[in-house]
Amino acid sequence: MNDAPALRGRIAFQPMRGGLDTAEAERRLARDGANELPTARRRGFFVRTLAVLREPMFLLLGAATTLYLVLGDLGEALVLSASVAVVVGITLRQAGKSERALDALRDLSTPQASVLRDGDRVRIDARRLVTGDVVVLGEGDRVPADARLIEATQLGIDESLLTGEASPAPKGTCAPSAEAEAAPTRDDHVYRGTLVVHGYALAEVVATGARTAVGRIGASLERTNPPRSTLQREIDRAVIVFAAAGLGLCASVTLLYALLRGGWIDALLAGVTLAIANVPEEFPVVLTVFLALGAWRLARERVLTRRIPAIETLGAITVLCVDKTGTLTENRMRIAALRQSGAAWDVAAGVPIGAEFDDLLVRALMACRIDPTDPMERAIVEAAAPRAGAGERTLVREYPLMPGLFARTQVWRTPAGLVGACSGAPEAIADLCRLAPARRESMLADVAVLARHGLRVIAIGALEHPVSLPLPERQDALAFVEAGLVAFADPLREGVAAAVAEATAAGIDVVMLTGDFPETATAIARQAGIDVGDGPLAGAALSVLDDAQLAAICAHRRVFARVTPEHKLRLVEALRARGEIVAMTGDGVNDAPALKAADVGIAMGRRGTDVAREAAALVLLDDDFVSIVRGIRRGRTIHDNIVRAMRYILAVHVPIMGMALLPLLTGGPLVLWPIHIVFLELVIDPACALVFEREPAAGDVMRRPPRDPHRTVLGLRLLAGGVLDGALMLAASAFVYATARALRCPDAGVAAATFVALVVGNVGLIALNRGSGLLHKRNHAFWIVAAGTASVLAATLGLPQLGHLFRFEAPPAGVLALAAGLPLAALVPLFVARTRASAPAAGHA
């Protein structure tokens, strides 16, 4: 569409100007700034560093550094400080990755605005709107800036954001005047953040960003903090419990050391070391990094995450309710058949549409908006525009869809008088045209034949209205005559049948919802592989069922036809009443309640309204069902990886705590000091943030049932599994410790051998928790971490200066071989058992 007057049939009465030119818009953008409200500034490097240093582990490390200075051991204090700086750097890098991922998601989810630039209608980032821009507003749009109406058709705006009034405010244009310019609010203005409930308009932007009405109120609307998710609260509780236990152990060990060995400074160092070993600061880091980067990876799968906690729910979905048109099908309509007064045309005949169908097509065109976005209307415009002639036509009245009447009407003024057309569901058009029972039966029989071939069918009615008579308030008071039927072919999307089969294998019931005729729904469902079962349930039959009956029906019905947004909401509630975890797709304004009611609301990114996208937790950037299934696969993988990381964190802290405490209880030489804990953190942190986050999906990720959403992640099974894994490593390390002492190795040699066992066991626990496909799943991060760890460990044993800092002395070759081999040998039975298991432990923990 290359000129603004082409929009006239949709919303306007007179030719329109073409908006700003691009160069002028860029100048105004540079002058006024972006069209965005003030938001909380991104934290600077100093603030982020300070936040990291306030974490309990770093406070404890700071205390240890201070104790070394009190002892006069400047070298130990400097080394510990340098090591802490490295760990802080890694932590800041992880936080930076999370923030960059979230920034990328915010950029993807930035609202778009339809605007006239250089005479063309284009969609741009709403942040680039400037004063003077002409925006196009339609039903379901969120107003992107304060603007003065230029032209409007039956425009109603929900201004509850500003006024608190629930009912839509009617809007229209009025002549400019000094009084109107001075008024603070006017009926011919629309305001940023308000919602177009019905109608269409062109409006000129008069204020952007902080200069809008919402911007003047304040930025609090943009700074609402969402509640923490179930998993976040669970992790918060776990960290508090472990931290409290760590402080208790710290006090106990300090007292025990002082009583048994004397020396309060050394006692404090031993206590602090054990406390550091016990604080699981990796838990919140894992959750933050995994969910943020997981949302970024989902966006690469064409699924935009608007609410990060929704990722936790993806793996628990049991029912997936999807629209047919545009989600299962391509939403790329073409006219496939026409029926009119006994005449028939089918695209399969291979001949052009004959002139006898001109009136039907022109009437269908009258029922369409000019410059339409609906694919059916586009197909009609393409076929009918050459037949419509050049006569002048002005839109007088539009009658939208009504509850219980699936039809819409447009009335036009032409030189010959008032003419119009209605289009919609055949049964609705039959009612509007007041067809005799026999003719109605004949029409619906034709519809059924076309629908059984998977075609989407609408009926068209024609209107001639006397100029002398006023138009009624309702379209069913007009006098229509039957014009005919238009049938559209909308092919199934590539890959849908395979995606439905994958979802079914994953224990997810796919339910198809459509406003189409039942026969069309049945045909498409069979092509997609959706269980038709007892056939589709029509919306009229659904309406008469009570909630209990509907819940019972949902147990075995998978196809619903002729449904409305109200039906969608009832279906979601009925399914959830049965204990299902429901994902629901939607695109319209009226779909918002169902999207909010679902456990995971999924809005259409291309054809969806702003309201639907705001109500949903996820947005499909390509409106494709295949992307939903890929998103579920990704969500399950993210959850699996969180569980793997959590189990590893629990396991790895057991031998560290054990070997910090065991020497105190046995009277042997201490193995772990703060410098050693920091070294181990340099292995643990990358393992969590890099290795497990990048772990590919398990082979059975889409062959197991959905997880129970009520089962806590840090449940008894995970805790027991992690503690048992760690206890095995503790036993191996303790055996190495005892063997080295029995062979009368020097204290530094005992410490070195035991530390080698701890580090090797740490890497072994990473491998164990990666899952059964260690050698088959590509994850370069694991091998990088393993190689880096081995290199640094070898340096601490081979370089005397580094060995001195770690208080190490190279043990005998036999003891060293035992330290390197025993932890891995101890894990072999566990690895074999998990490989043979039907499903990975991580997936069910």
Side-chain angles (χ1 to χ4, degrees), residues 12-13 42 101 128 401 463 610 615 626 667 693 704 738 769 793 823 826:
F13 306 101
R42 182 168 173 171
R128 300 189 65 80
L401 294 173
L463 171 70
D610 289 345
V626 177
E693 195 280 324
R704 43 174 130 115
N769 284 283
L793 186 60

Side-chain angles (χ1 to χ4, degrees), residues 732 736 752-758 760-761 811 813-824:
V736 171
T754 308
F755 189 72
V756 168
L758 283 172
V760 171
V815 174
L816 187 59
L818 178 69
L822 183 61
L824 297 180

Side-chain angles (χ1 to χ4, degrees), residues 201-287:
L202 289 175
E204 181 181 354
V205 174
V206 297
T208 60
R211 293 173 293 279
T212 61
V214 169
R216 291 194 297 271
I217 290 172
S220 59
L221 292 170
E222 297 289 314
R223 295 179 181 172
T224 303
N225 291 320
R228 294 180 72 74
S229 70
T230 302
L231 183 54
Q232 287 171 326
R233 293 195 298 271
E234 189 180 338
I235 296 300
D236 290 344
R237 288 193 297 269
V239 170
I240 290 172
V241 169
F242 281 105
L247 291 175
L249 280 172
C250 177
S252 301
V253 167
T254 300
L255 183 61
L256 181 63
Y257 189 104
L259 293 175
L260 295 178
R261 303 191 184 196
W264 281 100
I265 298 298
D266 283 342
L268 283 171
L269 275 173
V272 167
T273 299
L274 184 58
I276 295 170
N278 188 64
V279 174
E281 85 289 342
E282 300 91 357
F283 277 164
V285 171
V286 161
L287 192 60

Side-chain angles (χ1 to χ4, degrees), residues 25 74 187 235 282 296 338 402 455 549 564 587 671 680 709 738 767:
L74 181 61
D187 291 339
I235 296 300
E282 300 91 357
W296 176 73
L338 299 171
M402 297 167 53
L455 301 181
Q549 291 171 324
T564 65
D587 57 9
V671 173
L680 290 168

